[in-house]
C-alpha cells in the first residue's frame, strides 16, 4: 500500500518538475566532491557535467551503488548518512542518518535491499531500497561484547550480503531471504585485520585482503561448507614492509584471462595471481604502494594508482609482459579511476588540482578536464548491473 | 628502502629538511593542515571524528600529553594501522601537528 502511494508521488513529481531530464542514465556517472558534501552528475558520452547535488554530509571515503533501473544512486557517507539521489531530477530523494560512522554499502541481487557497513557502532544495517526504512540491524559482536568495525561489504547471488570484521578477523555471510530476519553464517579466524573485500564478477569467490598478516582470505560461496582458505600467504614473508599511509582498496576484480591483479600491502608492488591454482605468479614493481588496481574492461591493461606520498602518478601494466608500459602524471592526490563500461575512456579524480580528467585508453592521452572540488570516488551508473558493485 | 621513500616524498621531505628546527613556515603550515585533513583524514575521518583510527578532536585527546601524541605520530603504533610519520615529516612538522590536534580547528584559541 505504502509503496503505491510513494510511486504515485514520485511519478507525479517527475511529471511536474520540468527540471527533470527525459533521458537514459546508462552513460551517467557520479563524482564525489568530498570536502563539500556534494556530488556532480556527469555524462560520459560527451564528457560534460550535468548537475550538482548538495547536502549529502561528510563524504570522505564515500561510495555509491545504483538502483537496477539506473535512476537512483545510493550514496554512503562517512557520517553515517545514506542518501538516495535521483539522477534525472538531480536532487536528494531521501536521506537517513543511520549510524555514527559508516564505510560503504551494497545493493541486493534483486535491487530491493540496501545494506550499509558501519564502523561505529560496528555492524551492518539493511534498508528497504524504496523507502529507506530500516529492516534489519546486524551488530558485529565478537569477543566479550565488543563490536567490530565492518568493511568489505558486497552483495552475493542468492540474496546474500558478505562482509568482513576488521577487529574480529571474521567473514560473515548474511542470508536475506527474509529481510527482517537475516540468517548469519560466521567464519572465524580468517586472519588479522581484513581491510577490504571483493567478490569475483561471477559472484562465486569472496576475497578479503589482510592488513595484519600476509595473504588474503578466500571464501568459495558455492561451497561455504569448505570454510575460508588462505591464498597468497607467502608474499611479503621476511621482507621489510613499508609503513602504510593509506589502506589499499579491493574493488571489483582486476582479471585478465586467468590472471588477477591485486595491490600488495606495504610493498611497491602489484601481485599477480594465477586463478587456476590461486598462487602468486608474479610480482610487478610499481611507483608506490598501490591503492586501486583496475583492469581495463577488455582485460588488456591494468591501471594502478598509489598511496600518499606517491599519489601523483598512475601506471599502466601490460598484462602480457607483466611490465609497466606507461606512467601518467595527473597531479597530486589521484584518488580514484573508473573506466567507462566498454573501456574506451577512463575517468581519474585528481584531488589536489580540483579536477577530474578523462583519458583515451588506447592512446593514453588526456582528452578532457572538468573542474570538481576535491574529487574522490567516481562511480558509473553501469555498475547497476554488476554483481559486487 | 627508507631512503627511497624519502626521495620519492621529495616535496615534503625537502621542505621538511629546511624546517628541521624552526617552527614550520606559513606555507608549510598550510600544507600540513591540508595533509592532516586529507591524508590523516583517510583513516581518522576528514573531520577527524574517527574512522579506522580513533577520533582526533580536542575533546577526544583531552588529557593526553603532548609528547605522547608526538611519539605516536613520529613512531606510529606497531601492530596497528597507525603508520610512523617520522620517515617523511620533520620533528617541527610533527610537533606542529600535535599542537594543531590539541588546539582544534584553525582559528580557535591555543590553550595549552
Amino acid at each position: 500500500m505504502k509503496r503505491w502511494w510513494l510511486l504515485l508521488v514520485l511519478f507525479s513529481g517527475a511529471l511536474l518538475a520540468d527540471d527533470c531530464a527525459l533521458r537514459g542514465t546508462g552513460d551517467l556517472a557520479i563524482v564525489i566532491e568530498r570536502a563539500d558534501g556534494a556530488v556532480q552528475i556527469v555524462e560520459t558520452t560527451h564528457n560534460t557535467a550535468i548537475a550538482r547535488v548538495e547536502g549529502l554530509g561528510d563524504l570522505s571515503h564515500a561510495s555509491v551503488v545504483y538502483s537496477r533501473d539506473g535512476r537512483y544512486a545510493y550514496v554512503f557517507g562517512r557520517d553515517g548518512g545514506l542518501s538516495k539521489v535521483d539522477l534525472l531530477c538531480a536532487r536528494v530523494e531521501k536521506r537517513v542518518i543511520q549510524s555514527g560512522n559508516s564505510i560503504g554499502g551494497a545493493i541486493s541481487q534483486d535491487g530491493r535491499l540496501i545494506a550499509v557497513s558501519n564502523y561505529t557502532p560496528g555492524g551492518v544495517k539493511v534498508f528497504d531500497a524504496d523507502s529507506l526504512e530500516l529492516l534489519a540491524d546486524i551488530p558485529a559482536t565478537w569477543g566479550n561484547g565488543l563490536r567490530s568495525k565492518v568493511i568489505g561489504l558486497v552483495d552475493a547471488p542468492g540474496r546474500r550480503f558478505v562482509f568482513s570484521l576488521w577487529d574480529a578477523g571474521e567473514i560473515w555471510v548474511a542470508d536475506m531471504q527474509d529481510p527482517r530476519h537475516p540468517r548469519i553464517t560466521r567464519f572465524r579466524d580468517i586472519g588479522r585485520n581484513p581491510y577490504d573485500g571483493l567478490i569475483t564478477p561471477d559472484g562465486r569467490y569472496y576475497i578479503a585482503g589482510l592488513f595484519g598478516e600476509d595473504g588474503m582470505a578466500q571464501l568459495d560461496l558455492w561451497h561455504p561448507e569448505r570454510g575460508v582458505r588462505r591464498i597468497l600467504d607467502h608474499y611479503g614473508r621476511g621482507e621489510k614492509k613499508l609503513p602504510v599511509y593509506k589502506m589499499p582498496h579491493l574493488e571489483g576484480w582486476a582479471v585478465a584471462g586467468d590472471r588477477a591483479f591485486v595491490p600488495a600491502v606495504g610493498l611497491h608492488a602489484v601481485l599477480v595471481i594465477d586463478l587456476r591454482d590461486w598462487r602468486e605468479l608474479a610480482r610487478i614493481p610499481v611507483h608506490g604502494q598501490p591503492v586501486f588496481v583496475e583492469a581495463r574492461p577488455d582485460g588488456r591493461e591494468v591501471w594502478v594508482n598509489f598511496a600518499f606520498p606517491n599519489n601523483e602518478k598512475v601506471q599502466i601494466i601490460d598484462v602480457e609482459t607483466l611490465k609497466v608500459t606507461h606512467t601518467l602524471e595527473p597531479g597530486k592526490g589521484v584518488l580514484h579511476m573508473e573506466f567507462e563500461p566498454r573501456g574506451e575512456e577512463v575517468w581519474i579524480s585528481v584531488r589536489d588540482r580540483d579536477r577530474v580528467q578523462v583519458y583515451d585508453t588506447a592512446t593514453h592521452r588526456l582528452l578532457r578536464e572538468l573542474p570538481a572540488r576535491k574529487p574522490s570516488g567516481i562511480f558509473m551508473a553501469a555498475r547497476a548491473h554488476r554483481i559486487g558493485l | 628502502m627508507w631512503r627511497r621513500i624519502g626521495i620519492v616524498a621529495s616535496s615534503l621531505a625537502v621542505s621538511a629538511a629546511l624546517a628541521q628546527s624552526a617552527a614550520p613556515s606559513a606555507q608549510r603550515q598550510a600544507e600540513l593542515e591540508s595533509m592532516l585533513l586529507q591524508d590523516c583524514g583517510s583513516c581518522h575521518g576528514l573531520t577527524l571524528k574517527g574512522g579506522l583510527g580513533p577520533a582526533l578532536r580536542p575533546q577526544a585527546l583531552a588529557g593526553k600529553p603532548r609528547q605522547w601524541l608526538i611519539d605516536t605520530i613520529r613512531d606510529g603504533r606497531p601492530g596497528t594501522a597507525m603508520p610512523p610519520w617520522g620517515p617523511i615529516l620533520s620533528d617541527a612538522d610533527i610537533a606542529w601537528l600535535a599542537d594543531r590536534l590539541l588546539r582544534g580547528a584553525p582559528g580557535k584559541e591555543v590553550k595549552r
Side-chain angles (χ1 to χ4, degrees), chain A residues 154 175 203:
Chain A
V154 301
D175 180 327

Side-chain angles (χ1 to χ4, degrees), chain A residues 213-324:
Chain A
E213 49 190 293
D214 291 332
M216 305 179 104
Q218 182 225 61
L219 176 63
D220 181 349
L221 293 166
W222 288 11
H223 293 289
E225 76 284 356
R226 291 183 192 160
V228 170
R229 119 181 206 216
R230 185 68 60 88
I231 55 171
L232 297 184
D233 57 343
H234 293 297
Y235 90 76
R237 183 150 302 165
E239 282 172 51
K240 181 133 179 66
K241 297 254 178 123
L242 306 170
V244 176
Y245 293 109
K246 180 169 170 54
M247 286 293 156
H249 280 276
L250 300 173
E251 186 187 54
W253 188 231
V255 173
D258 43 24
R259 295 160 173 184
F261 297 74
V262 293
V265 182
L267 299 175
H268 289 193
V270 169
L271 305 180
V272 187
I273 307 175
D274 185 333
L275 289 177
R276 290 165 305 189
D277 57 7
W278 297 91
R279 290 186 180 280
E280 180 181 332
L281 185 83
R283 181 178 305 192
I284 305 168
V286 289
H287 166 68
Q289 295 182 30
V291 176
F292 284 101
V293 173
E294 307 215 359
R296 205 170 70 181
D298 64 348
R300 184 67 181 83
E301 294 176 349
V302 167
W303 291 48
V304 188
N305 77 330
F306 303 99
F308 176 87
N310 302 119
N311 62 12
E312 80 291 10
K313 289 188 182 159
V314 167
Q315 287 191 316
I316 302 169
I317 294 169
D318 175 82
V319 302
E320 283 186 336
T321 59
L322 300 183
K323 292 214 165 67
V324 171

Side-chain angles (χ1 to χ4, degrees), chain A residues 74-196:
Chain A
Y74 297 90
V75 182
F76 307 99
R78 198 36 160 314
D79 55 0
L82 162 59
S83 313
K84 182 176 179 182
V85 174
D86 183 337
L87 295 183
L88 295 182
C89 304
R91 65 176 175 226
V92 180
E93 187 75 35
K94 281 209 166 57
R95 177 171 159 79
V96 294
I97 299 289
Q98 54 84 40
S99 87
N101 201 322
S102 76
I103 183 70
I107 185 162
S108 61
Q109 186 177 28
D110 60 5
R112 299 222 175 131
L113 307 173
I114 302 290
V116 192
S117 59
N118 292 317
Y119 275 165
T120 32
V124 169
K125 285 187 179 167
V126 182
F127 298 86
D128 180 284
D130 289 335
S131 64
L132 299 193
E133 180 200 352
L134 179 67
L135 299 177
D137 186 357
I138 308 172
T141 46
W142 69 293
N144 238 338
L146 297 171
R147 304 266 303 244
S148 174
K149 299 185 178 79
V150 173
I151 52 86
L153 168 67
V154 301
D155 63 286
R159 227 186 179 198
R160 290 179 290 178
F161 290 116
V162 188
F163 49 92
S164 299
L165 279 60
W166 160 268
D167 307 280
E170 297 185 10
I171 293 176
W172 290 17
V173 178
D175 180 327
M176 305 301 300
Q177 290 304 342
D178 178 355
R180 288 188 188 270
H181 302 98
R183 288 210 327 265
I184 309 292
T185 312
R186 286 172 83 145
F187 297 87
R188 293 172 214 254
D189 298 323
I190 61 125
R192 280 187 53 209
N193 293 141
Y195 63 85
D196 201 0

Side-chain angles (χ1 to χ4, degrees), chain B residues 20-92:
Chain B
Q20 201 63 41
S21 48
S25 66
Q27 189 203 333
R28 181 65 184 157
Q29 290 185 20
E31 283 170 21
L32 289 170
E33 179 67 29
S34 140
M35 185 187 134
L36 177 66
L37 299 182
Q38 305 294 342
D39 298 299
C40 310
S42 80
C43 283
H44 292 280
L46 199 62
T47 52
L48 303 180
K49 275 200 288 204
L52 199 61
L56 295 181
R57 295 202 160 177
Q59 310 88 286
L61 296 177
K64 300 197 170 159
R66 176 174 186 262
Q67 190 57 45
W68 179 87
L69 291 180
I70 290 177
D71 293 345
T72 302
I73 300 170
R74 194 205 311 110
D75 304 330
R77 292 266 177 82
T80 79
M82 174 64 187
W85 295 82
I88 52 175
L89 295 178
S90 71
D91 287 348

